[in-house]
Amino acid sequence: MARKLRMGMIGGGTGSFIGDVHRKAASIDGMIELVCGAFSSNAEKSIASGKALYLPEDRCYGSFEEMILKEKELPEGVRMDFVSIVTPNYMHFPPAKMALEHGFHVVSDKPMTLTLDEAIALEQLVENSGKLFALTHNYTGHPLVKQARAMVAKGDLGNIRKIQVQYLQGWLSTAVEKTGQKQASWRVDPKRSGIGGALGDIGTHAENLVEYISGLKIKELAADLGVFGEGRTLDDDGNLLLRMENGAKGTMSFSQIALGEENDLAIRVYGDKGSLEWHQENPNQLITHWLDKPVKIFTPNGNDLYDEALSVSRIPAGHPEGYLEAFATIYKNFATHLMAVLNGETIAKPDYPTVKDGVRGMQFIYASVESDKNNAAWTKLN
């Protein structure tokens, strides 16, 4: 295309961590520009946030409804191409639904919706509209996660037998939600977070990473969820057993009360020929073990990477690539697909999480909660 894609943002106003992350990630590859936004449920704050981002005043909107309706009225050469939704969970579905119904493509933060019914309805809306939908499971954008996925898909590890995944944080070890901490307050509130606490916030990342790297679906699970924070009703800790569709076994542990942990997402995949492990806090090493060869460590843009990893490695070997770059890969792959669509072209296998991954995430949340209510009984994901 001869121009950048035009993005509108919903949520992510002044002081928002994730809004700033999305804006930086979307801009890294020079394919996307922010042209408008409804940055807060408070109209004054929304407009002030837009001005602080140097947007024209007439493109700073007081609500997402106003933004979608007014952008729709603008000429095709001016209006936004897609919206990026970076709100708390309960405000994912309403703007996504309205945007799709008015002809706009959508990028949304995860988990995709507040409820499973909303997720299923959104999947149908995406199908009916013919518009693109991306879900920002950003960890799948790391070059070495791509390498891990490719190695499993090509059979390097042989038949997958066992998977271990963990996502451990400690920031909710104390009742920070009672101190006015905004990020904590909505995450522990079922009306805004949904039926899963840490389960929805970080457990869905672990679930998505398991299925993305292994290429296997979780068939059923047994979940033991914990609520340790005084006065909380949503889980802040969980341990799960997994059964994969090929017969492989798995374990998952996630927590936001693991005192001392920062953002310890890690996965290990064991096959009958080899195994691999990757740690988000050390994302520039993929460690592999083999039956009859020495340990081998892969690095971004390093030796022996498959094209799937090389194509998203941005800088020379030895220069660390991390969180923002991985986030940017989701936007880059979405933007590449959207540009092709706008040019009347097709892409055989777009590589970014879609609405179907969002439905899987909600099925995972609901199955886990159901299992926990039944004393960790085995529960199918459907």
mmCIF file of all heavy atoms in Angstrom, residues 212-250:
data_model
loop_
_atom_site.group_PDB
_atom_site.id
_atom_site.type_symbol
_atom_site.label_atom_id
_atom_site.label_comp_id
_atom_site.label_asym_id
_atom_site.label_seq_id
_atom_site.Cartn_x
_atom_site.Cartn_y
_atom_site.Cartn_z
ATOM 1 N N TYR A 212 -0.452 -23.014 21.037
ATOM 2 C CA TYR A 212 0.263 -22.418 19.905
ATOM 3 C C TYR A 212 1.558 -23.168 19.615
ATOM 4 O O TYR A 212 1.837 -23.525 18.465
ATOM 5 C CB TYR A 212 0.562 -20.948 20.183
ATOM 6 C CG TYR A 212 1.214 -20.239 19.022
ATOM 7 C CD1 TYR A 212 0.465 -19.828 17.923
ATOM 8 C CD2 TYR A 212 2.583 -19.993 19.005
ATOM 9 C CE1 TYR A 212 1.061 -19.186 16.844
ATOM 10 C CE2 TYR A 212 3.187 -19.347 17.942
ATOM 11 C CZ TYR A 212 2.417 -18.947 16.858
ATOM 12 O OH TYR A 212 3.021 -18.318 15.791
ATOM 13 N N ILE A 213 2.357 -23.408 20.633
ATOM 14 C CA ILE A 213 3.639 -24.074 20.413
ATOM 15 C C ILE A 213 3.453 -25.545 20.052
ATOM 16 O O ILE A 213 4.080 -26.050 19.120
ATOM 17 C CB ILE A 213 4.551 -23.937 21.650
ATOM 18 C CG1 ILE A 213 5.033 -22.483 21.778
ATOM 19 C CG2 ILE A 213 5.750 -24.884 21.553
ATOM 20 C CD1 ILE A 213 5.918 -22.230 22.988
ATOM 21 N N SER A 214 2.591 -26.234 20.776
ATOM 22 C CA SER A 214 2.441 -27.679 20.562
ATOM 23 C C SER A 214 1.629 -28.027 19.328
ATOM 24 O O SER A 214 1.759 -29.137 18.792
ATOM 25 C CB SER A 214 1.789 -28.327 21.787
ATOM 26 O OG SER A 214 0.407 -27.992 21.859
ATOM 27 N N GLY A 215 0.778 -27.087 18.881
ATOM 28 C CA GLY A 215 -0.135 -27.399 17.778
ATOM 29 C C GLY A 215 -1.232 -28.354 18.194
ATOM 30 O O GLY A 215 -1.977 -28.849 17.347
ATOM 31 N N LEU A 216 -1.352 -28.604 19.488
ATOM 32 C CA LEU A 216 -2.337 -29.540 20.025
ATOM 33 C C LEU A 216 -3.388 -28.789 20.834
ATOM 34 O O LEU A 216 -3.094 -27.780 21.466
ATOM 35 C CB LEU A 216 -1.659 -30.569 20.941
ATOM 36 C CG LEU A 216 -0.569 -31.431 20.314
ATOM 37 C CD1 LEU A 216 0.180 -32.189 21.407
ATOM 38 C CD2 LEU A 216 -1.161 -32.390 19.298
ATOM 39 N N LYS A 217 -4.605 -29.299 20.838
ATOM 40 C CA LYS A 217 -5.669 -28.728 21.646
ATOM 41 C C LYS A 217 -5.710 -29.406 23.016
ATOM 42 O O LYS A 217 -5.419 -30.595 23.148
ATOM 43 C CB LYS A 217 -7.029 -28.911 20.964
ATOM 44 C CG LYS A 217 -7.147 -28.245 19.593
ATOM 45 C CD LYS A 217 -7.058 -26.740 19.697
ATOM 46 C CE LYS A 217 -7.280 -26.087 18.341
ATOM 47 N NZ LYS A 217 -7.045 -24.614 18.408
ATOM 48 N N ILE A 218 -6.049 -28.626 24.026
ATOM 49 C CA ILE A 218 -6.318 -29.204 25.339
ATOM 50 C C ILE A 218 -7.681 -29.883 25.262
ATOM 51 O O ILE A 218 -8.687 -29.236 24.982
ATOM 52 C CB ILE A 218 -6.329 -28.125 26.434
ATOM 53 C CG1 ILE A 218 -4.965 -27.429 26.499
ATOM 54 C CG2 ILE A 218 -6.691 -28.740 27.788
ATOM 55 C CD1 ILE A 218 -4.945 -26.201 27.399
ATOM 56 N N LYS A 219 -7.703 -31.181 25.486
ATOM 57 C CA LYS A 219 -8.940 -31.941 25.386
ATOM 58 C C LYS A 219 -9.786 -31.809 26.643
ATOM 59 O O LYS A 219 -11.000 -31.594 26.584
ATOM 60 C CB LYS A 219 -8.628 -33.413 25.115
ATOM 61 C CG LYS A 219 -9.846 -34.299 24.901
ATOM 62 C CD LYS A 219 -9.421 -35.735 24.604
ATOM 63 C CE LYS A 219 -10.626 -36.637 24.425
ATOM 64 N NZ LYS A 219 -10.210 -38.049 24.153
ATOM 65 N N GLU A 220 -9.149 -31.949 27.813
ATOM 66 C CA GLU A 220 -9.849 -31.801 29.077
ATOM 67 C C GLU A 220 -8.854 -31.412 30.163
ATOM 68 O O GLU A 220 -7.648 -31.558 29.999
ATOM 69 C CB GLU A 220 -10.610 -33.079 29.458
ATOM 70 C CG GLU A 220 -9.777 -34.335 29.494
ATOM 71 C CD GLU A 220 -10.630 -35.574 29.751
ATOM 72 O OE1 GLU A 220 -11.775 -35.438 30.206
ATOM 73 O OE2 GLU A 220 -10.128 -36.684 29.502
ATOM 74 N N LEU A 221 -9.394 -30.912 31.268
ATOM 75 C CA LEU A 221 -8.540 -30.424 32.338
ATOM 76 C C LEU A 221 -9.166 -30.696 33.701
ATOM 77 O O LEU A 221 -10.370 -30.919 33.822
ATOM 78 C CB LEU A 221 -8.262 -28.926 32.158
ATOM 79 C CG LEU A 221 -9.468 -27.978 32.036
ATOM 80 C CD1 LEU A 221 -10.104 -27.661 33.373
ATOM 81 C CD2 LEU A 221 -9.057 -26.699 31.331
ATOM 82 N N ALA A 222 -8.312 -30.672 34.708
ATOM 83 C CA ALA A 222 -8.742 -30.746 36.106
ATOM 84 C C ALA A 222 -8.112 -29.561 36.823
ATOM 85 O O ALA A 222 -6.889 -29.434 36.854
ATOM 86 C CB ALA A 222 -8.298 -32.057 36.746
ATOM 87 N N ALA A 223 -8.959 -28.678 37.375
ATOM 88 C CA ALA A 223 -8.476 -27.406 37.896
ATOM 89 C C ALA A 223 -8.735 -27.265 39.387
ATOM 90 O O ALA A 223 -9.839 -27.543 39.875
ATOM 91 C CB ALA A 223 -9.156 -26.253 37.152
ATOM 92 N N ASP A 224 -7.715 -26.805 40.099
ATOM 93 C CA ASP A 224 -7.824 -26.485 41.524
ATOM 94 C C ASP A 224 -7.467 -25.009 41.669
ATOM 95 O O ASP A 224 -6.297 -24.637 41.629
ATOM 96 C CB ASP A 224 -6.866 -27.361 42.332
ATOM 97 C CG ASP A 224 -6.938 -27.085 43.830
ATOM 98 O OD1 ASP A 224 -7.938 -26.489 44.274
ATOM 99 O OD2 ASP A 224 -5.987 -27.463 44.541
ATOM 100 N N LEU A 225 -8.487 -24.163 41.796
ATOM 101 C CA LEU A 225 -8.290 -22.722 41.859
ATOM 102 C C LEU A 225 -8.272 -22.263 43.317
ATOM 103 O O LEU A 225 -8.943 -22.834 44.174
ATOM 104 C CB LEU A 225 -9.399 -21.995 41.101
ATOM 105 C CG LEU A 225 -9.620 -22.426 39.646
ATOM 106 C CD1 LEU A 225 -10.745 -21.611 39.021
ATOM 107 C CD2 LEU A 225 -8.341 -22.289 38.824
ATOM 108 N N GLY A 226 -7.513 -21.218 43.586
ATOM 109 C CA GLY A 226 -7.403 -20.711 44.940
ATOM 110 C C GLY A 226 -7.750 -19.239 45.036
ATOM 111 O O GLY A 226 -7.510 -18.469 44.106
ATOM 112 N N VAL A 227 -8.316 -18.843 46.162
ATOM 113 C CA VAL A 227 -8.594 -17.439 46.470
ATOM 114 C C VAL A 227 -7.929 -17.144 47.814
ATOM 115 O O VAL A 227 -8.434 -17.524 48.863
ATOM 116 C CB VAL A 227 -10.110 -17.155 46.562
ATOM 117 C CG1 VAL A 227 -10.343 -15.667 46.795
ATOM 118 C CG2 VAL A 227 -10.822 -17.617 45.290
ATOM 119 N N PHE A 228 -6.785 -16.471 47.781
ATOM 120 C CA PHE A 228 -6.014 -16.218 48.986
ATOM 121 C C PHE A 228 -6.177 -14.790 49.505
ATOM 122 O O PHE A 228 -6.031 -14.548 50.699
ATOM 123 C CB PHE A 228 -4.531 -16.514 48.745
ATOM 124 C CG PHE A 228 -4.244 -17.982 48.594
ATOM 125 C CD1 PHE A 228 -4.186 -18.569 47.344
ATOM 126 C CD2 PHE A 228 -4.026 -18.772 49.711
ATOM 127 C CE1 PHE A 228 -3.925 -19.927 47.198
ATOM 128 C CE2 PHE A 228 -3.765 -20.135 49.586
ATOM 129 C CZ PHE A 228 -3.710 -20.711 48.328
ATOM 130 N N GLY A 229 -6.443 -13.838 48.611
ATOM 131 C CA GLY A 229 -6.587 -12.456 49.024
ATOM 132 C C GLY A 229 -7.852 -12.233 49.840
ATOM 133 O O GLY A 229 -8.946 -12.638 49.428
ATOM 134 N N GLU A 230 -7.724 -11.594 50.993
ATOM 135 C CA GLU A 230 -8.865 -11.375 51.871
ATOM 136 C C GLU A 230 -9.938 -10.539 51.186
ATOM 137 O O GLU A 230 -9.659 -9.469 50.633
ATOM 138 C CB GLU A 230 -8.408 -10.667 53.150
ATOM 139 C CG GLU A 230 -9.508 -10.477 54.178
ATOM 140 C CD GLU A 230 -9.025 -9.805 55.440
ATOM 141 O OE1 GLU A 230 -7.793 -9.618 55.589
ATOM 142 O OE2 GLU A 230 -9.872 -9.447 56.277
ATOM 143 N N GLY A 231 -11.165 -11.058 51.197
ATOM 144 C CA GLY A 231 -12.288 -10.338 50.614
ATOM 145 C C GLY A 231 -12.470 -10.552 49.126
ATOM 146 O O GLY A 231 -13.443 -10.064 48.545
ATOM 147 N N ARG A 232 -11.556 -11.279 48.492
ATOM 148 C CA ARG A 232 -11.684 -11.521 47.044
ATOM 149 C C ARG A 232 -12.662 -12.657 46.775
ATOM 150 O O ARG A 232 -12.808 -13.586 47.578
ATOM 151 C CB ARG A 232 -10.324 -11.866 46.431
ATOM 152 C CG ARG A 232 -9.360 -10.699 46.398
ATOM 153 C CD ARG A 232 -7.998 -11.090 45.852
ATOM 154 N NE ARG A 232 -7.053 -9.977 45.987
ATOM 155 C CZ ARG A 232 -5.733 -10.100 46.002
ATOM 156 N NH1 ARG A 232 -5.190 -11.308 45.888
ATOM 157 N NH2 ARG A 232 -4.966 -9.034 46.130
ATOM 158 N N THR A 233 -13.309 -12.584 45.623
ATOM 159 C CA THR A 233 -14.207 -13.663 45.202
ATOM 160 C C THR A 233 -13.673 -14.393 43.978
ATOM 161 O O THR A 233 -14.110 -15.514 43.696
ATOM 162 C CB THR A 233 -15.608 -13.110 44.878
ATOM 163 O OG1 THR A 233 -15.494 -12.098 43.874
ATOM 164 C CG2 THR A 233 -16.249 -12.512 46.130
ATOM 165 N N LEU A 234 -12.750 -13.776 43.259
ATOM 166 C CA LEU A 234 -12.162 -14.409 42.074
ATOM 167 C C LEU A 234 -10.817 -15.051 42.427
ATOM 168 O O LEU A 234 -10.114 -14.602 43.336
ATOM 169 C CB LEU A 234 -11.952 -13.382 40.964
ATOM 170 C CG LEU A 234 -13.210 -12.766 40.349
ATOM 171 C CD1 LEU A 234 -12.821 -11.746 39.290
ATOM 172 C CD2 LEU A 234 -14.113 -13.832 39.752
ATOM 173 N N ASP A 235 -10.467 -16.090 41.680
ATOM 174 C CA ASP A 235 -9.210 -16.793 41.919
ATOM 175 C C ASP A 235 -8.013 -15.859 41.746
ATOM 176 O O ASP A 235 -8.011 -14.979 40.880
ATOM 177 C CB ASP A 235 -9.085 -17.969 40.942
ATOM 178 C CG ASP A 235 -8.994 -17.511 39.498
ATOM 179 O OD1 ASP A 235 -10.058 -17.342 38.867
ATOM 180 O OD2 ASP A 235 -7.872 -17.302 39.002
ATOM 181 N N ASP A 236 -7.001 -16.058 42.555
ATOM 182 C CA ASP A 236 -5.724 -15.379 42.368
ATOM 183 C C ASP A 236 -4.579 -16.390 42.275
ATOM 184 O O ASP A 236 -3.404 -16.027 42.286
ATOM 185 C CB ASP A 236 -5.453 -14.346 43.460
ATOM 186 C CG ASP A 236 -5.674 -14.878 44.877
ATOM 187 O OD1 ASP A 236 -5.592 -16.112 45.057
ATOM 188 O OD2 ASP A 236 -5.946 -14.073 45.783
ATOM 189 N N ASP A 237 -4.945 -17.688 42.154
ATOM 190 C CA ASP A 237 -3.957 -18.757 42.079
ATOM 191 C C ASP A 237 -4.633 -19.983 41.469
ATOM 192 O O ASP A 237 -5.850 -20.175 41.635
ATOM 193 C CB ASP A 237 -3.442 -19.084 43.480
ATOM 194 C CG ASP A 237 -2.356 -20.151 43.483
ATOM 195 O OD1 ASP A 237 -1.189 -19.796 43.239
ATOM 196 O OD2 ASP A 237 -2.676 -21.330 43.713
ATOM 197 N N GLY A 238 -3.878 -20.809 40.767
ATOM 198 C CA GLY A 238 -4.474 -22.018 40.213
ATOM 199 C C GLY A 238 -3.455 -23.050 39.780
ATOM 200 O O GLY A 238 -2.331 -22.705 39.380
ATOM 201 N N ASN A 239 -3.841 -24.317 39.884
ATOM 202 C CA ASN A 239 -3.016 -25.434 39.420
ATOM 203 C C ASN A 239 -3.915 -26.382 38.635
ATOM 204 O O ASN A 239 -5.005 -26.745 39.100
ATOM 205 C CB ASN A 239 -2.388 -26.159 40.603
ATOM 206 C CG ASN A 239 -1.440 -25.258 41.372
ATOM 207 O OD1 ASN A 239 -0.327 -24.992 40.937
ATOM 208 N ND2 ASN A 239 -1.890 -24.761 42.527
ATOM 209 N N LEU A 240 -3.459 -26.777 37.441
ATOM 210 C CA LEU A 240 -4.281 -27.591 36.548
ATOM 211 C C LEU A 240 -3.501 -28.788 36.030
ATOM 212 O O LEU A 240 -2.285 -28.707 35.809
ATOM 213 C CB LEU A 240 -4.760 -26.780 35.336
ATOM 214 C CG LEU A 240 -5.868 -25.747 35.526
ATOM 215 C CD1 LEU A 240 -5.385 -24.527 36.293
ATOM 216 C CD2 LEU A 240 -6.413 -25.321 34.156
ATOM 217 N N LEU A 241 -4.218 -29.874 35.816
ATOM 218 C CA LEU A 241 -3.732 -30.998 35.024
ATOM 219 C C LEU A 241 -4.391 -30.915 33.658
ATOM 220 O O LEU A 241 -5.565 -30.563 33.547
ATOM 221 C CB LEU A 241 -4.087 -32.328 35.696
ATOM 222 C CG LEU A 241 -3.481 -32.593 37.068
ATOM 223 C CD1 LEU A 241 -4.000 -33.918 37.612
ATOM 224 C CD2 LEU A 241 -1.961 -32.590 37.008
ATOM 225 N N LEU A 242 -3.631 -31.245 32.628
ATOM 226 C CA LEU A 242 -4.121 -31.152 31.253
ATOM 227 C C LEU A 242 -4.000 -32.492 30.545
ATOM 228 O O LEU A 242 -3.010 -33.211 30.730
ATOM 229 C CB LEU A 242 -3.317 -30.105 30.462
ATOM 230 C CG LEU A 242 -3.125 -28.723 31.095
ATOM 231 C CD1 LEU A 242 -2.201 -27.886 30.217
ATOM 232 C CD2 LEU A 242 -4.467 -28.020 31.289
ATOM 233 N N ARG A 243 -4.980 -32.797 29.726
ATOM 234 C CA ARG A 243 -4.907 -33.914 28.794
ATOM 235 C C ARG A 243 -5.037 -33.353 27.389
ATOM 236 O O ARG A 243 -6.030 -32.706 27.055
ATOM 237 C CB ARG A 243 -6.018 -34.930 29.069
ATOM 238 C CG ARG A 243 -5.838 -35.717 30.370
ATOM 239 C CD ARG A 243 -7.045 -36.589 30.664
ATOM 240 N NE ARG A 243 -6.857 -37.399 31.887
ATOM 241 C CZ ARG A 243 -7.844 -38.038 32.522
ATOM 242 N NH1 ARG A 243 -9.093 -37.959 32.057
ATOM 243 N NH2 ARG A 243 -7.578 -38.728 33.608
ATOM 244 N N MET A 244 -4.012 -33.599 26.569
ATOM 245 C CA MET A 244 -4.005 -33.069 25.209
ATOM 246 C C MET A 244 -4.685 -34.044 24.264
ATOM 247 O O MET A 244 -4.837 -35.238 24.563
ATOM 248 C CB MET A 244 -2.569 -32.800 24.762
ATOM 249 C CG MET A 244 -1.752 -31.966 25.750
ATOM 250 S SD MET A 244 -2.473 -30.356 26.153
ATOM 251 C CE MET A 244 -2.308 -29.512 24.559
ATOM 252 N N GLU A 245 -5.046 -33.553 23.087
ATOM 253 C CA GLU A 245 -5.819 -34.357 22.151
ATOM 254 C C GLU A 245 -5.054 -35.570 21.610
ATOM 255 O O GLU A 245 -5.665 -36.543 21.162
ATOM 256 C CB GLU A 245 -6.299 -33.492 20.979
ATOM 257 C CG GLU A 245 -5.184 -32.869 20.155
ATOM 258 C CD GLU A 245 -5.705 -31.946 19.075
ATOM 259 O OE1 GLU A 245 -6.934 -31.983 18.820
ATOM 260 O OE2 GLU A 245 -4.905 -31.201 18.467
ATOM 261 N N ASN A 246 -3.711 -35.530 21.667
ATOM 262 C CA ASN A 246 -2.926 -36.663 21.164
ATOM 263 C C ASN A 246 -2.581 -37.655 22.266
ATOM 264 O O ASN A 246 -1.849 -38.620 22.032
ATOM 265 C CB ASN A 246 -1.638 -36.163 20.514
ATOM 266 C CG ASN A 246 -0.618 -35.698 21.546
ATOM 267 O OD1 ASN A 246 -0.992 -35.216 22.620
ATOM 268 N ND2 ASN A 246 0.657 -35.840 21.239
ATOM 269 N N GLY A 247 -3.085 -37.420 23.491
ATOM 270 C CA GLY A 247 -2.759 -38.289 24.615
ATOM 271 C C GLY A 247 -1.652 -37.770 25.508
ATOM 272 O O GLY A 247 -1.368 -38.362 26.559
ATOM 273 N N ALA A 248 -0.993 -36.685 25.095
ATOM 274 C CA ALA A 248 0.054 -36.101 25.941
ATOM 275 C C ALA A 248 -0.549 -35.556 27.231
ATOM 276 O O ALA A 248 -1.726 -35.204 27.285
ATOM 277 C CB ALA A 248 0.781 -34.988 25.190
ATOM 278 N N LYS A 249 0.277 -35.501 28.285
ATOM 279 C CA LYS A 249 -0.145 -34.987 29.574
ATOM 280 C C LYS A 249 0.470 -33.609 29.799
ATOM 281 O O LYS A 249 1.544 -33.300 29.266
ATOM 282 C CB LYS A 249 0.280 -35.918 30.708
ATOM 283 C CG LYS A 249 -0.130 -37.376 30.517
ATOM 284 C CD LYS A 249 -1.643 -37.551 30.509
ATOM 285 C CE LYS A 249 -2.015 -39.032 30.430
ATOM 286 N NZ LYS A 249 -3.481 -39.228 30.415
ATOM 287 N N GLY A 250 -0.173 -32.807 30.615
ATOM 288 C CA GLY A 250 0.356 -31.482 30.884
ATOM 289 C C GLY A 250 0.025 -30.989 32.276
ATOM 290 O O GLY A 250 -0.909 -31.473 32.922
#
